Amino acid sequence: MSHTQDRRLAVLCAIVEDYVSTREPVGSKAVTERHHLGVSPATVRNDMAILEEAGLLVQPHTSAGRIPTDAGYRAFVDSLDEIKPLSAPERAAFQKTLMEAVDLDDVIARAARLLSHLTNQVAVLQYPSLRQSNLRHIELVALRPRLFMLVLITNTGRVEQRTVKSADEIGEDDLHLISAALNSCLTGVPISRLRARRDLVAEKLEFRLRAAAGEFTDTIVEVLEAESEERVVVSGTGNLSRYDVDFSASISPVLDALEEQIVLLKLMAFREKGVSVRIGSENSSTELSETSLVTAGYSNGADGEVARVGVIGPTRMNYPAAMSGVLAISQYLTEILQSHR
């Protein structure tokens, strides 16, 4: 990139930063005074005119100020060399809050609130998909002679509990045998393939235990298939009220879209390595055409990405802060899932 191109990119970045901060069109005088680019206002005005011709800036009215277009924001985001890490106090606060969570639901809720608070945007956090999960452990606990607690733990940290009534009384030794057969045949197997392994469980047991084992296997399959629906948690929708002026009509269509799980799941279905940023018209949903979406995937280590976390806000967004927060949360969620493998 030439010196002139470098300078014009610096002018664009300065305008993006100032407009995000002030929501006022940015003029050449402000750029030279605030950012010390080492050139005259006349040179900056010329650069601004060229950036406008390229579709990266627009002049909203007759004033000399310019504001970024979606393409301008894209060029700004693409110019970022690295994502700034959180400060040491921020990292400590994140880690402490998330590590105090009692279960996966609590982790997801806490992470969404943290991300919303950190970025002042709407946080969107996808649950680890059971469709992409494996069973990690099955526990059977006797409550009464014919009543049992079935505890299922997946490799993504999901814990499901159900009570199971058996037609037969099952002693402690037999319960251990059934539990061992279930764990041997069903753990480490994708949930979509559990039903096909029912007969394998029976084959590992004496005939007298097969009916009871079948009851437990059927319950496991039913529970996990019923709970496999994708879910998304949203936190901080109130943050949108502070950006009401950033939308041409109102924030109502955005709020309506955030209430639709299908819309959110489509947004989060986009897969890209690292932190992904989609700006304005790059979003597939027309209701969100004046918003930007910043997302990153998180994983349990061995099985790759299991879900995504992100923020939604107006295109006039502090992209470096949003990208930093999203990346931090995705990394902490990955650490937590790995620790529960």
Side-chain angles (χ1 to χ4, degrees), residues 259-276:
E259 292 180 357
E260 294 291 337
Q261 289 277 310
I262 293 177
V263 172
L264 295 177
L265 287 168
K266 285 182 179 179
L267 289 174
M268 304 301 275
F270 186 78
R271 294 290 188 263
E272 186 175 305
K273 288 185 178 180
V275 177
S276 167

Side-chain angles (χ1 to χ4, degrees), residues 96-108 110 336 340:
K96 181 177 184 297
T97 301
L98 292 181
M99 291 303 180
E100 288 177 347
V102 297
D103 55 26
L104 183 65
D105 289 336
D106 196 17
V107 168
I108 297 296
R110 286 171 181 250
I336 290 170
H340 285 84

Side-chain angles (χ1 to χ4, degrees), residues 49-341:
I50 293 173
L51 290 168
E52 185 174 4
E53 288 179 5
L56 304 179
L57 297 177
V58 67
Q59 191 172 18
H61 41 73
T62 55
S63 74
R66 307 295 202 282
I67 65 174
T69 63
D70 287 358
Y73 286 124
R74 167 53 60 196
F76 169 77
V77 169
D78 290 345
S79 74
L80 298 174
D81 293 329
E82 59 182 4
I83 298 175
K84 183 181 178 181
L86 297 182
S87 67
E90 286 174 331
R91 288 198 305 272
F94 264 48
Q95 204 160 22
K96 181 177 184 297
T97 301
L98 292 181
M99 291 303 180
E100 288 177 347
V102 297
D103 55 26
L104 183 65
D105 289 336
D106 196 17
V107 168
I108 297 296
R110 286 171 181 250
R113 289 195 299 269
L114 278 170
L115 184 56
S116 173
H117 177 73
L118 180 72
T119 62
N120 291 319
Q121 307 293 348
V122 179
V124 183
L125 211 158
Q126 185 181 20
Y127 266 81
S129 172
L130 275 180
R131 293 175 185 172
Q132 302 176 42
S133 301
N134 297 335
L135 265 175
R136 182 165 68 87
H137 184 67
I138 302 166
E139 189 76 28
L140 297 177
V141 181
L143 302 177
R144 292 200 297 270
R146 288 190 175 91
L147 185 65
F148 304 88
M149 175 67 73
L150 173 66
V151 182
L152 308 175
I153 304 173
T154 73
N155 62 338
T156 52
R158 291 278 289 270
V159 178
E160 299 290 341
Q161 297 182 350
R162 293 292 188 280
T163 54
V164 181
K165 291 182 179 178
S166 175
D168 304 315
E169 290 191 13
I170 304 173
E172 184 176 343
D173 291 341
D174 287 341
L175 191 64
H176 284 312
L177 291 173
I178 294 173
S179 178
L182 291 170
N183 277 287
S184 173
C185 297
L186 303 183
T187 55
V189 176
I191 287 169
S192 60
R193 292 170 49 197
L194 290 179
R195 190 179 295 274
R197 297 179 71 88
R198 189 181 192 278
D199 291 343
L200 293 179
V201 176
E203 291 172 4
K204 283 189 171 289
L205 295 166
E206 298 177 33
F207 182 80
R208 62 186 180 84
L209 299 178
R210 292 181 179 179
E215 292 174 331
F216 288 119
T217 304
D218 290 342
T219 302
I220 291 169
V221 172
E222 290 167 7
V223 167
L224 295 178
E225 288 183 346
E227 294 295 325
S228 64
E229 182 178 348
E230 305 282 354
R231 286 193 288 164
V232 174
V233 171
V234 177
S235 181
T237 52
N239 283 331
L240 278 179
S241 62
R242 73 180 69 191
Y243 303 119
D244 191 23
V245 292
D246 286 291
F247 298 95
S248 59
S250 73
I251 62 173
S252 296
V254 180
L255 293 173
D256 291 343
L258 292 177
E259 292 180 357
E260 294 291 337
Q261 289 277 310
I262 293 177
V263 172
L264 295 177
L265 287 168
K266 285 182 179 179
L267 289 174
M268 304 301 275
F270 186 78
R271 294 290 188 263
E272 186 175 305
K273 288 185 178 180
V275 177
S276 167
V277 181
R278 278 179 288 165
I279 300 167
S281 57
E282 295 173 358
N283 288 310
S284 57
S285 171
T286 56
E287 296 90 341
L288 300 176
S289 62
E290 292 184 281
T291 69
S292 289
L293 174 69
V294 180
T295 63
Y298 64 97
S299 75
N300 63 355
D303 303 306
E305 182 177 313
V306 294
R308 294 187 75 78
V309 56
V311 295
I312 295 175
T315 54
R316 188 183 67 89
M317 175 189 290
N318 185 335
Y319 290 96
M323 295 166 73
S324 176
V326 167
L327 179 61
I329 285 290
S330 71
Q331 290 173 338
Y332 283 127
L333 289 173
T334 295
E335 290 176 12
I336 290 170
L337 290 189
Q338 288 178 348
S339 70
H340 285 84
R341 281 185 60 82

